[in-house]
Amino acid sequence: VGACGFHSRILPNVYPIRLVKVNEDTMELIRGTNGLCISCQPGEPGLLVGRINQEDPLRRFDGYVNQNATNKKIAYNVFQKGDQAYLTGDVLVMDDLGYMYFKDRSGDTFRWRGENVSTTEVEGILSHILSKTDVAVYGVEVPGVEGKAGMAAIADPKAKLNPNILYLEIQKALPPYARPIFLRFLPQVDTTGTFKIQKTRLQREGYNPHQMSDRLYFLDVKLGKYLPIDECIFERIQTGKMSL
């Protein structure tokens, strides 16, 4: 259940696809000492690539009109020297039987206050409120708190967004459990080569002001507004002195 594809573990070379190791932050392929890509073992996340064979109508890739776009989708020396492979931009995980799952799907929802929060739905609502601004929503762990607190990274290149004016709209559009506890305003929201929002780095940095120079805010439910996160508030959250 939930698998998006299958790759034979017994006859791996029969299929023209493979999961190869990749830096999830930069989406750059990780290569071995021989210069070739490294195949993933079961349970290891990897980039799905497909072998290109221009003589096979099912495996050929004619490219895009834009040559730069074409170059970004092709990797060389992947399975063997001189070959080419198509980069899908999707990070998947394969189980012991060969079934593949989108790794990012595990981050599409998180549990907070006993409710499942859909990151896609919250992103859509926030983006609509902000006139189609890029938004990434994800769950972050807070010490001593069950589940994951919602956090929204919002593109604000001109640093003009007011979090508490935004909160007035959030209250109208989202139920209490789905309202982001943390906000991060940054110049732009990183995306992958297929324009999917890259959340790995954002989740890792969380709401720690020591990890970034972006504007960070915390929702004080009792006061009914977002407060800027400084070192003092960060420490109070970490030690459980600030109520979520």
Side-chain angles (χ1 to χ4, degrees):
V1 176
C4 61
F6 176 81
H7 185 270
S8 174
R9 295 289 317 285
I10 301 174
L11 301 169
N13 293 326
V14 171
Y15 291 77
I17 60 172
R18 198 76 56 85
L19 291 185
V20 296
K21 292 187 178 182
V22 65
N23 183 320
E24 292 184 56
D25 289 335
T26 63
M27 296 303 284
E28 292 183 4
L29 298 172
I30 297 174
R31 297 180 181 271
T33 54
N34 59 1
L36 302 179
C37 293
I38 304 171
S39 296
C40 294
Q41 297 300 313
E44 291 183 334
L47 181 68
L48 179 65
V49 301
R51 188 192 303 272
I52 295 173
N53 182 351
Q54 297 293 38
E55 297 179 359
D56 185 335
L58 296 178
R59 299 182 186 178
R60 65 180 299 160
F61 178 58
D62 295 323
Y64 304 111
V65 174
N66 185 307
Q67 187 58 43
N68 287 332
T70 298
N71 293 338
K72 290 180 180 179
K73 301 302 293 185
I74 296 179
Y76 299 88
N77 302 322
V78 177
F79 303 103
Q80 61 188 32
K81 294 290 185 180
D83 70 355
Q84 300 178 31
Y86 177 81
L87 307 178
T88 66
D90 290 316
V91 177
L92 289 81
V93 177
M94 180 175 62
D95 64 17
D96 290 323
L97 298 176
Y99 289 99
M100 296 187 182
Y101 304 82
F102 282 107
K103 179 177 183 294
D104 294 338
R105 289 293 167 86
S106 63
D108 283 351
T109 61
F110 59 88
R111 196 159 180 82
W112 179 247
R113 300 298 187 216
E115 300 282 354
N116 289 322
V117 181
S118 167
T119 61
T120 304
E121 289 184 20
V122 178
E123 285 169 353
I125 290 171
L126 291 180
S127 181
H128 177 72
I129 291 173
L130 295 166
S131 301
K132 306 303 180 184
T133 297
D134 286 339
V135 178
V137 174
Y138 44 95
V140 292
E141 295 183 357
V142 179
V145 178
E146 185 178 352
K148 291 186 177 182
M151 184 166 185
I154 301 171
D156 183 25
K158 297 182 179 180
K160 289 186 175 182
L161 290 178
N162 184 314
N164 290 309
I165 291 178
L166 173 60
Y167 185 56
L168 295 177
E169 297 299 321
I170 288 176
Q171 286 179 297
K172 300 175 187 177
L174 289 170
Y177 68 85
R179 297 168 188 167
I181 301 297
F182 301 99
L183 294 180
R184 176 178 179 178
F185 295 119
L186 65 173
Q188 66 180 28
V189 177
D190 294 339
T191 58
T192 67
T194 52
F195 304 104
K196 295 180 181 178
I197 293 174
Q198 185 70 285
K199 300 181 184 179
T200 307
R201 178 177 62 84
L202 297 173
Q203 286 180 307
R204 185 176 64 247
E205 293 173 348
Y207 54 90
N208 187 342
H210 302 107
Q211 295 269 5
M212 69 204 81
S213 58
D214 300 325
R215 291 190 296 152
L216 294 170
Y217 294 89
F218 164 74
L219 178 59
D220 189 316
V221 179
K222 293 182 179 178
L223 295 178
K225 64 178 182 180
Y226 283 104
L227 303 176
I229 298 180
D230 54 21
E231 292 188 14
C232 178
I233 287 184
F234 176 72
E235 290 302 323
R236 292 185 65 190
I237 293 172
Q238 293 299 93
T239 56
K241 296 179 180 178
M242 182 74 81
S243 176
L244 273 65

